[in-house]
Amino acid sequence: MNRKILRNKNCFITGASGGIGREIALKLSESGCNMFLAGRNTSKLINLKKEIESFGKKVKVFYDTADLSKTADIINIIKVVRHKMGTIDVLVNCAGVFQVKSLNDANEKDFDECININVRAPFIFCKEFSKDMVKKKWGRIVNIGSSSAYNGFKDTIIYCTTKHAVLGMSRAIHNELKEHKVRTYCISPGSVKTKMGKMLKSQNYETFIDAKEIAQYVDFLISFDDNMVSEEVRLNRMFV
């Protein structure tokens, strides 16, 4: 394990204005990563940038808003990242939408939106930025999955489908790129104390996982740089 391995690395993170993404951005910047923050909420991104810069770590911080359900926004933000940072060493696909609808109530529009944000956008970013990592013979791809990648729950049919896809995609990318010393992780937490987590009315919110702990775990996990790797991790609640 090398606690200094992330210093001066360039990190692109989606969903940075959300609960988990925000905490991961804060933690990785503490470890010395330059950050490009992507999200939908401009004011939250600005505040996060200021908070990171207040650490005094002298890391570079950029941001831009994007709706990852739209191809034009994805293309544009890749261009901005290339202009501001050049290459990416660490990719964190954290953006996601959570739909609570039964099979009968869900429609094709719901399906397309969830697939586009939860699966299609991560695929495009993995394809684009892994090129940098392969050239450098070093890289980290972190895909935030869910306990729904391993289970099927009623009223979340589309969401479960997307998270199963993220897990399968992560497994395949890891096996394809590991010979280039690029590590791909699928981190699958249970219910988390975020705005999205509050949509689960049938569960006790107080038992949910703290997003800060997930960020700490991600930082810890991607700092290993020898022969050991935990490419597939499930983070469960102690009490359910």
Side-chain angles (χ1 to χ4, degrees), residues 14-73:
T14 68
S17 56
I20 297 176
R22 177 183 183 279
E23 295 300 335
I24 293 176
L26 288 169
K27 188 60 183 177
L28 295 188
S29 63
E30 283 184 7
S31 294
C33 277
N34 299 313
M35 304 299 301
F36 193 105
L37 313 169
R40 289 188 177 186
N41 190 308
T42 303
S43 61
K44 287 184 178 181
L45 293 177
I46 292 172
N47 290 335
L48 179 56
K49 180 180 186 293
K50 291 178 179 178
E51 187 171 354
I52 291 172
E53 291 174 337
S54 71
F55 294 158
K57 292 285 186 178
K58 296 182 179 180
V59 298
K60 298 176 183 177
V61 186
F62 307 99
Y63 72 90
D64 199 4
T65 55
D67 180 351
L68 300 186
S69 68
K70 299 178 180 178
T71 302
D73 280 27

Side-chain angles (χ1 to χ4, degrees), residues 115-128:
I115 285 288
N116 286 342
I117 295 175
N118 293 6
V119 184
R120 185 172 179 270
F123 165 76
I124 294 173
F125 291 134
C126 286
K127 180 178 174 64
E128 175 67 26

Side-chain angles (χ1 to χ4, degrees), residues 108-205:
E108 291 182 11
K109 183 180 178 181
D110 298 326
F111 185 85
D112 289 343
E113 180 189 28
C114 204
I115 285 288
N116 286 342
I117 295 175
N118 293 6
V119 184
R120 185 172 179 270
F123 165 76
I124 294 173
F125 291 134
C126 286
K127 180 178 174 64
E128 175 67 26
F129 296 121
S130 65
K131 299 172 185 176
D132 305 338
M133 303 175 193
V134 169
K135 287 180 181 178
K136 295 180 180 180
K137 296 295 181 183
W138 194 96
R140 301 288 189 268
I141 297 172
V142 179
N143 294 323
I144 301 301
S146 166
S147 57
S148 295
Y150 297 90
N151 297 286
F153 301 104
K154 71 174 186 177
D155 297 330
T156 57
I157 289 88
I158 298 175
Y159 181 76
C160 288
T161 299
T162 64
K163 291 305 180 179
H164 274 72
V166 168
L167 175 60
M169 178 172 65
S170 300
R171 287 171 171 171
I173 293 174
H174 176 73
N175 282 322
E176 183 170 331
L177 300 184
K178 63 183 180 181
E179 65 182 87
H180 302 289
K181 298 184 179 180
V182 177
R183 301 175 185 224
T184 303
Y185 309 83
C186 187
I187 313 299
S188 297
S191 301
V192 184
K193 290 180 179 178
T194 61
K195 182 178 179 181
M196 185 182 293
K198 289 181 178 180
M199 296 174 65
L200 296 169
K201 303 297 184 181
S202 62
Q203 299 183 28
N204 183 359
Y205 186 79

